[in-house]
Amino acid sequence: MSTYAQKKGFGATLWDFLTTVDHKKIAILYLIAGGLFFLVGGLEAVFIRIQLAVPNNDFVSAGLFNEIITMHGTTMIFLAAMPLIFAFMNAVMPLQIGARDVAFPFVNAVSFWLFFFGGVFLNLSWFLGGAPDAGWTSYASLAIASKGHGVDFYILGLQISGFGTLMGGINFLVTIINMRAPGMTYMRMPLFTWSTFVTSALILFAFPPLTVGLVLMMFDRMFGAHFFEAAMGGNTIIWEHLFWIFGHPEVYILILPAFGIFSEIFSMFSRKRLFGYSSMVFATVLIGFLGFMVWAHHMFTTGLGPVANAIFAVATMAIGVPTGIKIFNWLFTMWGGSVKFTTPMHYAFAFIPTFVAGGVTGVMLAAAAADYQYHDTYFVVAHFHYVIVGGVVFALLAGTHLYWPKMFGTMLNETLGKITFWTFFIGFHMTFFIQHFLGLWGMPRRVFTYLPGQGFETANAVSSFGAAFMSVGVIVMLINIIVTSVKNVKVGNDPWGDGRTLEWAIPSPPPFYNFKQLPLVRGLDAYWIEKMEGKKGMTPAEPLGDIHMPNSSFLPFIMSLGLFIAAFGAMYHVDKVSWALPVMILGLLITFGAMFTRSVKDDHGFHIHKEELMDDDDKGVKA
Amino acid sequence: MKRLAKWRFISLFAILALVLSGCGEPYLSTLNPAGEVADTQYDLMKLSTLIMVGVIIVVMVIFVLVFIRFRRKDDTIPKQVEGSHKLEIIWTVIPILLLLVLAVPTVAATFKLADVSPMDKKNSKALVVNVRAHLYWWDFEYPGQKIVTSNELVVPTNEKVYFNLKSADVKHAFWIPAVGGKMDVNTENVNRFWLEFDDKKANDAGNLFYGKCAELCGPSHALMDFKVKAISKDKFDAWVTAMQDVKEPLKASTAAASEGQQIFNKSCIGCHAVTPANKMPDTARIAPNLSNFGDRSRVAGILEHNKENVKKWIKNPETYKPGNLMTGKYGNLSDDQIDALADYLMGLKVQE
């Protein structure tokens, strides 16, 4: 397949990305799509802060404001943070374990296209009669009462993208279990791979409850059922349970990979192995496990009674322990090290105080009786932005700088990177620190405005001002990406010079088969061990031989497109329009037709022959 | 870098100054607790903050030391340390102990705040209020006193008040920040809890606390405010008697107001009751009870209480509470009619 190395026109490149099953290209697709949705969600955040900058503002109307907050939350969680995390998991995890791809490359492409079409469907609501307006939690009584199709877009869009996420999780689990290179035992896996593993397990158990909730609500809204209608004997509290049984692990689905990325950064730029590696692994698994035991802390005020509240309060506090272990292990990784403050290290370093602030407010929120005061106020808004922006978004920005050379073969500019960091960091604290106090002073969350004379004016103005700084940071980052992509200065295997894990042992970007010969792993930080012994690269674990690779396919795109079409049919079916049912059937036929084709048509892939590999000596391949 | 670090210091001081300058408003802030529930919660807040500040200090000390001592100076490779069992045990056990210190009072407070057993006692003297939340207004029924009022809760100070909360449409949450934490108002079940209003603190707050809906309930969620008049037991009893004495709708006192009353009886009385007696079931009370409208402190829970605002509200409620259920229910009223109506409503006073 030497065609891969040739220069191609735009059409051919586009077709290549539409049909690719290569984990590195799918990672780029996730990065682009997730990045675009991040910008959309960010724009929505800016609108929120403009509206709240002064009391009684009329920048947006009350109804539109609710649509904006709903879409801001939904977009940021499902369509920005998770796909961006998936981008790094796809780009890095197979390389870190010394694999040539994920276990099911075809399914990997299906996952991406499902997410993509689900996200596009959800955002089309803006142009088709209004976005969902019941909050990202979409509590049942309000969601059922919501007029128009907004909430239908939410229900169907999240189901489609949820399928993709679930498949992705399963794919990563199988990959990590089955495809580790010789010598790569579980306790030699880099922390990012470990967190991918635990996260995937969380996805496997957390997404089905969400799907169940969404399906029940779909039947309520579109097919005349009454699961959540109190007047008909339904119960809206069930939605709250289903949502949070998913929703709380979701928080850890987001934050564990962030922990993984930071663990890599601390270790790399301190030139030290991770302090307390086994306890870090243990803490990751424990956080994942406890993550399923605490969902009702989102429902302390629902009226579950003191017994349930007390149990969930104590369980929630318990999560503070493994998280604390991690913080101290990171600090002691740097202790005695040789710390270089690169852009990724700036984010990692700033993450520690920021995340500790978010963590301690988390413990405060866990105190059930006190939570009756915090619940649904700006205190909570401040808390979860401290953990999600201070944890997840910092990690994604750090990861973008760290892995950019590995994904695209060129470095992002460090000066611009640090400008992005400082503006974003200062803006972030300015926006959210003050919100703790707004909540304590009595400002509920999700309010489209506030009346003057309640003492909220100054703090809200400060908060909105901070949002402007954050926006500048993101814009500088976009400029950075454009400038460096145009210059396109090529870099070698280990551009940071401090690489420890397998991905830094191969070219940037790696050839499409990743490893010509699978590497032999001799311990934690496999590449570092070889470097310290003066070797240039990894010792191969196998003789040079033919490599079996999967064929590209357009079917993942078609399969996902079918569900996208069917969703429109399902949604407009409620309005009794004549074309709705045929469209739904057509869409499902496309999806099932594509699945049938995939099942009956043999696709054995192809082999790269030994001779070609010898010619292809360590030539980097254009991504 | 150094300059930037200084910059951060200054902003930190600015924030600190802002924090010290205010605990929020006495009628609204959770940091000005005005009753036993809020006190309990404020104590828990202080305890947890104290413990957490301790944790933050430890982390920050290590953090700053790392920043100062271990920056890269040359190309030497540091010693590769695997870990330290002693240290790892320390930072596992100490947090567990700290959390226990927090967990015990948390559990105790959680049970204390959930104790509504006096509501279940036979012949209980406890004051009970049935709260019914509606799309953007609040209905308050006193079952023991057999009176109903809306949007302005009246309670005696220094006595436990028990609440039955239920929603008439979508989920809301009932919150009087200065007096105690919130409780959700569900659609399918009655939630119960209690609050106590401190007399001295109520005086500081001008005897009027702000109440809010804390659960997203639609476009005007932000405007679903109510007010709480916390007065001494004697005054409260007087208010109850005055309310109970209103058997028939109050007669208008001026000519304009009696014209307003006629318009009211034609256009408004289908939804709005003007007698406080509790005869209708809660589901039939589809709009705020206006018996003592003239005594209240806000129009529709949000606007300053004067005739101009009553007129503005009747003219176009949609401008002030988007998505409310009043808009378009009473046809078109002329400006003169609205003026008369406002006169009548402002005169609905049960107490002088």
Short mmCIF file of all heavy atoms in Angstrom, two decimals, chain A residues 517-542:
data_model
loop_
_atom_site.label_atom_id
_atom_site.label_comp_id
_atom_site.label_asym_id
_atom_site.label_seq_id
_atom_site.Cartn_x
_atom_site.Cartn_y
_atom_site.Cartn_z
N GLN A 517 7.92 -4.05 13.48
CA GLN A 517 7.99 -5.27 14.29
C GLN A 517 7.48 -4.91 15.67
O GLN A 517 7.82 -3.86 16.20
CB GLN A 517 9.44 -5.75 14.39
CG GLN A 517 10.02 -6.20 13.08
CD GLN A 517 11.54 -6.17 13.12
OE1 GLN A 517 12.15 -5.11 13.10
NE2 GLN A 517 12.14 -7.35 13.18
N LEU A 518 6.66 -5.77 16.25
CA LEU A 518 6.15 -5.45 17.57
C LEU A 518 7.31 -5.35 18.55
O LEU A 518 8.25 -6.14 18.49
CB LEU A 518 5.17 -6.54 18.04
CG LEU A 518 3.85 -6.59 17.26
CD1 LEU A 518 2.93 -7.64 17.85
CD2 LEU A 518 3.16 -5.24 17.24
N PRO A 519 7.28 -4.35 19.43
CA PRO A 519 8.41 -4.12 20.34
C PRO A 519 8.38 -5.09 21.53
O PRO A 519 7.33 -5.59 21.91
CB PRO A 519 8.19 -2.69 20.81
CG PRO A 519 6.71 -2.51 20.75
CD PRO A 519 6.20 -3.36 19.63
N LEU A 520 9.54 -5.31 22.09
CA LEU A 520 9.63 -6.11 23.31
C LEU A 520 9.65 -5.15 24.50
O LEU A 520 10.49 -4.26 24.58
CB LEU A 520 10.92 -6.95 23.30
CG LEU A 520 11.11 -7.81 24.55
CD1 LEU A 520 10.08 -8.94 24.59
CD2 LEU A 520 12.52 -8.38 24.61
N VAL A 521 8.69 -5.34 25.40
CA VAL A 521 8.58 -4.42 26.53
C VAL A 521 9.27 -5.04 27.74
O VAL A 521 8.98 -6.15 28.13
CB VAL A 521 7.10 -4.12 26.84
CG1 VAL A 521 6.97 -3.26 28.07
CG2 VAL A 521 6.46 -3.44 25.63
N ARG A 522 10.19 -4.29 28.33
CA ARG A 522 10.98 -4.85 29.43
C ARG A 522 10.68 -4.23 30.77
O ARG A 522 11.39 -4.45 31.74
CB ARG A 522 12.46 -4.71 29.08
CG ARG A 522 12.85 -5.45 27.81
CD ARG A 522 14.32 -5.61 27.69
NE ARG A 522 14.98 -4.30 27.54
CZ ARG A 522 16.16 -4.00 28.07
NH1 ARG A 522 16.79 -4.88 28.79
NH2 ARG A 522 16.68 -2.80 27.88
N GLY A 523 9.64 -3.40 30.81
CA GLY A 523 9.30 -2.80 32.11
C GLY A 523 8.42 -1.59 31.91
O GLY A 523 8.07 -1.23 30.78
N LEU A 524 8.08 -0.96 33.04
CA LEU A 524 7.32 0.29 32.97
C LEU A 524 8.19 1.32 32.26
O LEU A 524 9.40 1.30 32.38
CB LEU A 524 6.99 0.75 34.39
CG LEU A 524 6.17 2.03 34.54
CD1 LEU A 524 4.77 1.83 34.00
CD2 LEU A 524 6.11 2.43 36.00
N ASP A 525 7.56 2.23 31.51
CA ASP A 525 8.29 3.23 30.73
C ASP A 525 9.28 2.56 29.78
O ASP A 525 10.50 2.78 29.83
CB ASP A 525 9.04 4.22 31.66
CG ASP A 525 8.10 5.03 32.53
OD1 ASP A 525 6.94 5.24 32.09
OD2 ASP A 525 8.49 5.43 33.64
N ALA A 526 8.71 1.73 28.90
CA ALA A 526 9.52 0.83 28.06
C ALA A 526 10.59 1.57 27.25
O ALA A 526 11.74 1.13 27.17
CB ALA A 526 8.60 0.06 27.12
N TYR A 527 10.20 2.71 26.63
CA TYR A 527 11.14 3.42 25.76
C TYR A 527 12.25 4.06 26.59
O TYR A 527 13.41 4.09 26.20
CB TYR A 527 10.37 4.46 24.95
CG TYR A 527 11.20 5.29 24.00
CD1 TYR A 527 12.11 4.67 23.13
CD2 TYR A 527 11.06 6.67 23.94
CE1 TYR A 527 12.87 5.42 22.25
CE2 TYR A 527 11.81 7.43 23.06
CZ TYR A 527 12.72 6.79 22.23
OH TYR A 527 13.46 7.54 21.36
N TRP A 528 11.90 4.57 27.76
CA TRP A 528 12.87 5.19 28.67
C TRP A 528 13.95 4.19 29.06
O TRP A 528 15.15 4.52 29.08
CB TRP A 528 12.12 5.70 29.90
CG TRP A 528 12.98 6.32 30.96
CD1 TRP A 528 13.42 5.73 32.10
CD2 TRP A 528 13.47 7.65 30.99
NE1 TRP A 528 14.16 6.60 32.84
CE2 TRP A 528 14.21 7.81 32.19
CE3 TRP A 528 13.37 8.75 30.13
CZ2 TRP A 528 14.83 9.00 32.54
CZ3 TRP A 528 13.99 9.93 30.49
CH2 TRP A 528 14.71 10.05 31.68
N ILE A 529 13.54 2.95 29.35
CA ILE A 529 14.51 1.92 29.73
C ILE A 529 15.55 1.73 28.63
O ILE A 529 16.76 1.72 28.87
CB ILE A 529 13.78 0.59 30.01
CG1 ILE A 529 12.91 0.73 31.26
CG2 ILE A 529 14.78 -0.57 30.17
CD1 ILE A 529 12.09 -0.51 31.57
N GLU A 530 15.06 1.65 27.37
CA GLU A 530 15.99 1.46 26.25
C GLU A 530 16.90 2.68 26.10
O GLU A 530 18.11 2.55 25.89
CB GLU A 530 15.21 1.23 24.94
CG GLU A 530 14.19 0.10 24.98
CD GLU A 530 14.81 -1.28 25.22
OE1 GLU A 530 15.96 -1.49 24.84
OE2 GLU A 530 14.09 -2.13 25.80
N LYS A 531 16.30 3.89 26.23
CA LYS A 531 17.09 5.12 26.08
C LYS A 531 18.23 5.17 27.11
O LYS A 531 19.35 5.55 26.81
CB LYS A 531 16.20 6.35 26.26
CG LYS A 531 15.54 6.82 24.99
CD LYS A 531 15.15 8.31 25.05
CE LYS A 531 13.99 8.57 25.98
NZ LYS A 531 13.42 9.93 25.84
N MET A 532 17.88 4.77 28.36
CA MET A 532 18.86 4.84 29.43
C MET A 532 19.99 3.86 29.22
O MET A 532 21.10 4.01 29.73
CB MET A 532 18.21 4.58 30.80
CG MET A 532 17.35 5.71 31.31
SD MET A 532 18.25 7.26 31.49
CE MET A 532 17.67 8.20 30.10
N GLU A 533 19.70 2.82 28.42
CA GLU A 533 20.76 1.87 28.12
C GLU A 533 21.49 2.25 26.84
O GLU A 533 22.24 1.46 26.29
CB GLU A 533 20.18 0.45 28.02
CG GLU A 533 19.71 -0.02 29.39
CD GLU A 533 19.20 -1.45 29.38
OE1 GLU A 533 19.28 -2.09 28.31
OE2 GLU A 533 18.73 -1.89 30.44
N GLY A 534 21.18 3.45 26.34
CA GLY A 534 21.90 3.96 25.19
C GLY A 534 21.40 3.45 23.85
O GLY A 534 22.03 3.66 22.83
N LYS A 535 20.26 2.80 23.84
CA LYS A 535 19.75 2.29 22.56
C LYS A 535 18.89 3.35 21.87
O LYS A 535 18.30 4.20 22.51
CB LYS A 535 18.92 1.03 22.81
CG LYS A 535 19.78 -0.14 23.21
CD LYS A 535 18.93 -1.37 23.39
CE LYS A 535 19.73 -2.42 24.17
NZ LYS A 535 18.89 -3.31 24.93
N LYS A 536 18.83 3.27 20.54
CA LYS A 536 18.08 4.24 19.76
C LYS A 536 16.58 3.96 19.79
O LYS A 536 15.75 4.85 19.76
CB LYS A 536 18.57 4.20 18.30
CG LYS A 536 19.84 5.01 18.10
CD LYS A 536 19.51 6.37 17.50
CE LYS A 536 20.55 7.43 17.79
NZ LYS A 536 21.91 7.08 17.37
N GLY A 537 16.23 2.67 19.77
CA GLY A 537 14.80 2.32 19.70
C GLY A 537 14.53 1.06 20.47
O GLY A 537 15.34 0.60 21.27
N MET A 538 13.34 0.52 20.22
CA MET A 538 12.92 -0.67 20.94
C MET A 538 13.57 -1.91 20.33
O MET A 538 13.83 -1.98 19.14
CB MET A 538 11.40 -0.83 20.88
CG MET A 538 10.64 0.33 21.46
SD MET A 538 11.01 0.63 23.19
CE MET A 538 10.46 -0.89 23.93
N THR A 539 13.78 -2.91 21.16
CA THR A 539 14.20 -4.22 20.66
C THR A 539 12.97 -4.92 20.10
O THR A 539 11.95 -4.97 20.78
CB THR A 539 14.75 -5.07 21.82
OG1 THR A 539 15.64 -4.27 22.57
CG2 THR A 539 15.44 -6.31 21.30
N PRO A 540 13.04 -5.41 18.84
CA PRO A 540 11.85 -6.08 18.30
C PRO A 540 11.60 -7.40 19.01
O PRO A 540 12.53 -8.07 19.46
CB PRO A 540 12.18 -6.29 16.83
CG PRO A 540 13.59 -5.86 16.63
CD PRO A 540 14.15 -5.36 17.92
N ALA A 541 10.31 -7.75 19.07
CA ALA A 541 9.94 -9.00 19.73
C ALA A 541 9.65 -10.08 18.71
O ALA A 541 9.28 -11.20 19.07
CB ALA A 541 8.72 -8.78 20.62
N GLU A 542 9.76 -9.75 17.40
CA GLU A 542 9.43 -10.72 16.36
C GLU A 542 10.28 -10.41 15.14
O GLU A 542 10.72 -9.28 14.97
CB GLU A 542 7.94 -10.61 16.00
CG GLU A 542 7.57 -9.22 15.50
CD GLU A 542 6.10 -9.05 15.09
OE1 GLU A 542 5.30 -9.94 15.37
OE2 GLU A 542 5.81 -8.02 14.48
#
